[in-house]
């Protein structure tokens, strides 16, 4: 509720600032956001192609599955959109299995983890982001709550690991086949040159698009558009979605932006930026995702048919 209340405060600030939003930079930000989605789906298609070299893995269905999942993640918490990605791409890759497809999504995040860790380390090194001792006292909701209740957090992590261990013991007779399929999904990582040429290049270009997107959002809302501030937006976007308790990290994202951009603009301006950026990205994700679903299910049994096939 605190997260949603903070988001509502940001909505009010956005409405007050709506008339001053620069339309040109806003449209450019949306365009580069879409470009990032295109680049990411090209990388995922190549990961799937390495996992299933004998299958006809076409890019359009992969793009449709990925963007449909992104659209779902934008409005539903707990990353249920990733399930949608797997469900839809399973229909388009003959002979595919869910463990392999899930592992391909993991392979797709390897470069993201490296880049995300690098910019987070940069922010921590220069004291731009809040330090761990300050977390309990900051209005960043889920993160602050976990920092104030380390015992409960630790017990939760231990219980989750214990449940995983029990499952592994019970299903040990299936583990060998399971891991063989997982390894298949990570096949691209066994050929670093191919991985670098067919995946990293696209994802690196996608990260450049992310930075440009953040830059133009800053310009649209008349906040100092610098590389530093653009990178800080990227840090917040990455951190706020680590615990997907709200759709797209709504609430914590707005609170974190106010903290990290303190001094760059007034709180009302930063809140207006945060919600305006969120609305533009969510609207774009949902529109592209809905269009993808319409194309994917044209002349087929629809989502119900996809679930039946699963």
């Amino acid at each position: 509720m605190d997260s949603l209340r903070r988001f509502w405060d940001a909505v009010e600030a956005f409405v007050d600032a709506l008339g001053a939003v620069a339309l040109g930079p806003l449209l450019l930000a949306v365009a580069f956001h879409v470009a990032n989605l295109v680049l990411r789906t090209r990388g995922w298609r190549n990961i799937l192609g390495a996992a299933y070299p004998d299958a006809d893995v076409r890019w359009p269905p992969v793009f449709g599955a990925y963007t449909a999942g992104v659209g779902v993640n934008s409005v539903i918490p707990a990353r249920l959109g990733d399930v949608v990605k797997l469900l839809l791409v399973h229909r388009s890759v003959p002979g595919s299995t869910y463990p392999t497809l899930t592992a391909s999504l993991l392979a797709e995040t390897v470069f993201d983890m490296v880049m995300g860790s690098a910019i987070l380390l940069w922010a921590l090194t220069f004291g731009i982001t809040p330090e761990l001792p300050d977390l309990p006292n900051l209005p960043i909701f889920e993160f602050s709550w976990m920092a104030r209740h380390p015992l409960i957090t630790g017990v939760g992590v231990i219980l989750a690991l214990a449940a995983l261990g029990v499952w592994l013991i019970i299903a040990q007779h299936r583990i060998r086949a399971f891991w063989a399929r997982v390894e298949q999904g990570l096949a691209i990582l066994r050929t670093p040159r191919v991985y670098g040429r067919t995946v990293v290049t696209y994802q690196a270009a996608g990260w450049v698009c992310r930075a440009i997107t953040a830059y133009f959002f800053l310009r649209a809302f008349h906040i100092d558009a610098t590389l530093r501030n653009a990178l800080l937006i990227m840090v917040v976007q990455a951190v706020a979605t680590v615990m997907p308790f709200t759709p797209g990290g709504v609430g914590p994202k707005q609170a974190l932006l106010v903290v990290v951009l303190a001094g760059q603009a007034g709180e009302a301006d930063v809140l207006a930026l945060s919600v305006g950026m969120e609305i533009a990205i969510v609207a774009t994700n949902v529109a592209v995702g809905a269009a993808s679903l319409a194309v994917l299910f044209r002349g087929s049994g629809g989502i119900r048919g996809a679930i039946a096939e699963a």
Side-chain angles (χ1 to χ4, degrees):
M1 291 303 299
D2 285 340
S3 294
L4 296 178
R5 190 176 300 114
R6 188 64 170 181
F7 181 70
W8 182 251
D9 291 340
V11 170
E12 293 179 339
F14 169 69
V15 171
D16 292 339
L18 187 58
V21 176
L23 184 59
L26 182 64
L27 294 176
L28 285 172
V30 169
F32 277 101
H33 173 70
V34 174
N36 173 49
L37 292 178
V38 171
L39 290 164
R40 294 192 65 81
T41 57
R42 292 296 300 181
W44 191 29
R45 183 269 151 215
N46 292 333
I47 292 172
L48 292 170
Y52 296 103
D54 298 326
D56 180 20
V57 183
R58 296 177 298 120
W59 174 64
V62 174
F63 174 84
Y66 191 94
T67 52
V70 169
V72 172
N73 277 336
S74 297
V75 296
I76 300 178
R79 301 200 65 85
L80 291 181
D82 290 350
V83 177
V84 173
K85 293 178 188 178
L86 298 176
L87 182 69
L88 296 180
V89 83
H90 181 261
R91 304 175 73 241
S92 64
V93 180
S96 60
T97 63
Y98 286 108
T100 299
L101 297 177
T102 302
S104 74
L105 281 179
L106 177 62
E108 196 248 345
T109 64
V110 170
F111 184 74
D112 287 341
M113 289 189 289
V114 173
M115 289 297 299
S117 299
I119 61 174
L120 180 59
L121 181 62
W122 161 77
L124 291 172
T125 300
F126 288 92
I128 301 172
T129 55
E131 297 182 359
L132 290 178
D134 298 329
L135 288 182
N137 302 317
L138 293 174
I140 49 179
F141 317 120
E142 290 89 345
F143 298 94
S144 300
W145 187 92
M146 293 178 70
R148 288 194 297 267
H149 304 86
L151 180 59
I152 297 176
T153 302
V155 169
V157 172
I158 292 172
L159 289 176
L161 292 175
L164 177 61
V166 170
W167 178 83
L168 291 174
I169 292 173
I170 295 174
Q172 59 182 329
H173 62 287
R174 299 182 179 180
I175 289 178
R176 183 172 299 178
F178 171 81
W179 282 114
R181 291 175 177 175
V182 169
E183 185 179 0
Q184 183 181 356
L186 302 174
I188 191 76
L189 300 179
R190 294 199 298 266
T191 52
R193 288 187 179 180
V194 176
Y195 170 69
R197 186 179 70 254
T198 63
V199 179
V200 171
T201 51
Y202 286 110
Q203 293 187 338
W207 274 85
V208 172
C209 286
R210 289 190 195 186
I212 296 174
T213 297
Y215 171 83
F216 279 116
F217 272 125
L218 288 165
R219 286 193 56 184
F221 287 87
H222 309 289
I223 296 177
D224 195 13
T226 63
L227 178 60
R228 173 189 181 276
N229 289 345
L231 289 176
L232 285 177
I233 289 177
M234 295 167 69
V235 169
V236 168
Q237 290 173 333
V239 172
T241 54
V242 170
M243 294 181 294
F245 298 137
T246 58
V250 162
K253 191 179 294 184
Q254 282 67 51
L256 279 168
L257 275 175
V258 170
V259 173
V260 301
L261 291 180
Q264 301 299 311
E267 181 175 339
D269 293 331
V270 176
L271 286 174
L273 162 70
S274 67
V275 77
M277 181 169 58
E278 194 69 26
I279 290 174
I281 289 176
V282 168
T284 302
N285 289 345
V286 171
V288 175
S292 297
L293 285 174
V295 172
L296 286 172
F297 292 132
R298 183 176 53 192
S300 69
I303 296 178
R304 186 175 300 176
I307 294 174
E309 290 179 16

